[in-house]
Amino acid sequence: FFQAEDGIRDKLVTGVQTCALPIYTGGATGAGELAKGRVAANQMKMLPHRWRWREISPYLNKISEIAREARGELLERTDRQGILLTNPGLGGRLQITNTIRCAVAIYNPGDIAPAHIHSPNASRTILSDKGGYTNVEGERCECRRGDIVFTPNGTWHDHGNDDKEPMIWIDMLDWPLMEYLDAVWVDQNYADTRSSNAKSQPAVHSDGHSTRLYGHGGLKPVFTSNQRGWGNKVAPMFHYKGTDVMETLRALRGEEGDPFEGIKMEFVNPITGSPIFPSLDYCAQMLRPGEELGWKRETCSTFMVVMEGQGFSEIGGQRFDWEKNDILAVPNFLWRRHVNTGKNDAVLYTVSDAALMRALGQYRSQGKGADGSIVQIVQ
């Protein structure tokens, strides 16, 4: 997914990885401790890390410029234009956590990525004001900032930008997990399977189709099949609007909230109420101005992108200041807390492998009380 001309690839990867971080051990701040011993010595451990948007965006602009000069030839050759984020603790592996791959992609006006299908579950989180479109199983999803489009395992999808400005989004996949299980496959022969010569799927469903069917809690359509694509346990609602997410969070801002998470909502399969993907949890959370969340640690690893606001997170004993579009990685079972230092609400989108850990019976979370005592969090 990191695709750029060879001449700038090394420079981009170096710029994105920045410097390696030390191993963090416990201390008075409750930093947590990474595993030790003979087994752990032979394992690579992801590290807490922050990717600043102000450092990433110049490289995206450079990639966009190169692609424009190539007049579409670059996209024809690679299908992707963007930066793949790599965690400095994972030895150059193409992943941001142990189970998640993350790329920040940019598409110029007129760019089209041909229809494809794969075993990893994936999503796009839109960062630009206009986010082009993703066509999932014939449903054309017109995107804006804050939208999330899901492309579950076994669903055909294609992307494009028919706006006048470049569009930017974050690609998230459970690719490393599928790779570890030796279950990765990709098919781009849409024309062969559908008897069509087109690179893109025909839009048989208009924008908002799955939202109209499934966007009302507690109501399930029974006049149509709820199976979309041919993956197993596919969540049928593909497009979640950022405006709806923000409206929901703000309507709840007067609630007490969770002491460790603030106002937090989970994206779920509207048919089953289970996580969107069997492997990944997607959530949106809001911290109100001045809100300081308590210390918490979980056995899942987490990706976080700042959609609105500014503040800082303390992860494993290190402070990371953040602002709009910054990206952070939170390793499993390291103590962390988030603080909103701004005058407005802060909104964070998170993705974790909590769903996988729960399915394996290995999810566990703990918090710290005001007196420093550790409490078991049972959900």
Side-chain angles (χ1 to χ4, degrees):
F1 286 86
F2 175 85
Q3 302 287 354
E5 290 190 349
D6 293 338
I8 67 168
R9 182 174 310 188
D10 293 339
K11 184 183 297 184
L12 283 168
V13 173
T14 301
V16 172
Q17 285 184 329
T18 66
C19 60
L21 299 178
I23 300 296
Y24 302 110
T25 57
T29 59
E33 185 172 324
L34 293 180
K36 297 179 180 178
R38 286 176 293 178
V39 174
N42 294 313
Q43 295 177 336
M44 285 189 290
K45 301 289 184 179
M46 66 169 288
L47 294 173
H49 195 67
R50 173 199 56 214
W51 291 263
R52 288 190 178 277
W53 181 248
R54 61 174 178 256
E55 295 172 352
I56 294 175
S57 57
Y59 290 120
L60 286 173
N61 292 334
K62 181 62 175 177
I63 291 172
S64 177
E65 179 184 338
I66 290 172
R68 284 197 303 271
E69 292 175 353
R71 297 182 180 178
E73 295 177 8
L74 183 60
L75 189 67
E76 286 290 330
R77 194 164 65 246
T78 65
D79 294 346
R80 293 293 187 277
Q81 297 166 176
I83 296 172
L84 183 64
L85 304 186
T86 58
N87 191 287
L90 297 178
R93 290 182 177 178
L94 304 182
Q95 54 201 78
I96 194 171
T97 76
N98 295 319
T99 54
I100 300 173
R101 175 175 289 183
C102 172
V104 186
I106 186 166
Y107 281 64
N108 284 324
D111 284 348
I112 297 176
H116 54 285
I117 191 171
H118 43 63
S119 55
N121 297 295
S123 68
R124 335 238 102 66
T125 299
I126 311 303
L127 297 186
S128 51
D129 290 338
K130 293 185 177 181
Y133 66 87
T134 292
N135 190 347
V136 192
E137 283 295 314
E139 177 179 343
R140 183 182 171 96
C141 303
E142 302 281 353
C143 299
R144 298 292 185 270
R145 177 173 174 80
D147 289 8
I148 302 180
V149 177
F150 293 100
T151 53
N153 157 39
T155 56
W156 282 98
H157 52 282
D158 54 88
H159 322 292
N161 181 10
D162 51 12
D163 291 317
K164 296 180 180 179
E165 299 293 332
M167 61 93 169
I168 298 172
W169 63 36
I170 298 175
D171 276 307
M172 299 287 300
L173 307 93
D174 58 6
W175 192 289
L177 175 63
M178 296 300 107
E179 205 165 40
Y180 177 78
L181 297 172
D182 196 18
V184 172
W185 53 260
V186 179
D187 190 353
Q188 295 182 313
N189 297 316
Y190 178 80
D192 294 345
T193 61
R194 303 297 179 97
S195 301
S196 170
N197 294 320
K199 290 183 178 180
S200 301
Q201 303 175 71
V204 296
H205 301 298
S206 62
D207 181 42
H209 173 71
S210 64
T211 303
R212 289 189 292 273
L213 285 175
Y214 303 104
H216 305 282
L219 295 174
K220 181 181 78 171
V222 295
F223 60 87
T224 184
S225 170
N226 295 303
Q227 173 68 36
R228 306 196 68 185
W230 41 265
N232 187 27
K233 299 180 180 178
V234 171
M237 186 168 170
F238 297 146
H239 190 187
Y240 290 74
K241 299 291 184 74
T243 52
D244 294 337
V245 174
M246 297 298 179
E247 181 181 341
T248 300
L249 291 174
R250 287 167 183 153
L252 296 170
R253 71 185 316 279
E255 299 291 327
E256 182 178 353
D258 183 272
F260 308 107
E261 300 288 0
I263 302 297
K264 188 172 184 178
M265 304 293 286
E266 180 184 359
F267 297 87
V268 298
N269 183 325
I271 301 299
T272 64
S274 59
I276 291 289
F277 299 139
S279 54
L280 299 176
D281 270 352
Y282 284 75
C283 295
Q285 65 185 126
M286 181 176 68
L287 282 69
R288 290 149 289 197
E291 188 166 13
E292 299 186 17
L293 300 182
W295 291 98
K296 183 179 181 179
R297 63 180 180 180
E298 306 171 274
T299 51
C300 61
S301 55
T302 303
F303 159 95
M304 184 175 90
V305 59
V306 181
M307 299 304 298
E308 300 290 345
Q310 61 187 45
F312 69 86
S313 297
E314 293 182 88
I315 309 169
Q318 185 164 345
R319 172 171 167 153
F320 298 93
D321 294 303
W322 41 256
E323 58 189 7
K324 186 176 177 179
N325 288 354
D326 283 357
I327 294 169
L328 292 92
V330 183
N332 59 312
F333 225 54
L334 285 189
W335 289 105
R336 53 82 171 162
R337 72 178 186 130
H338 309 310
V339 177
N340 180 356
T341 60
K343 297 180 180 180
N344 299 310
D345 295 332
V347 177
L348 313 175
Y349 282 5
T350 62
V351 185
S352 76
D353 53 13
L356 172 65
M357 300 305 289
R358 286 191 176 95
L360 295 173
Q362 295 296 328
Y363 179 79
R364 181 187 180 195
S365 64
Q366 296 177 324
K368 281 196 175 184
D371 60 355
S373 61
I374 296 178
V375 296
Q376 304 297 327
I377 301 174
V378 181
Q379 296 174 324

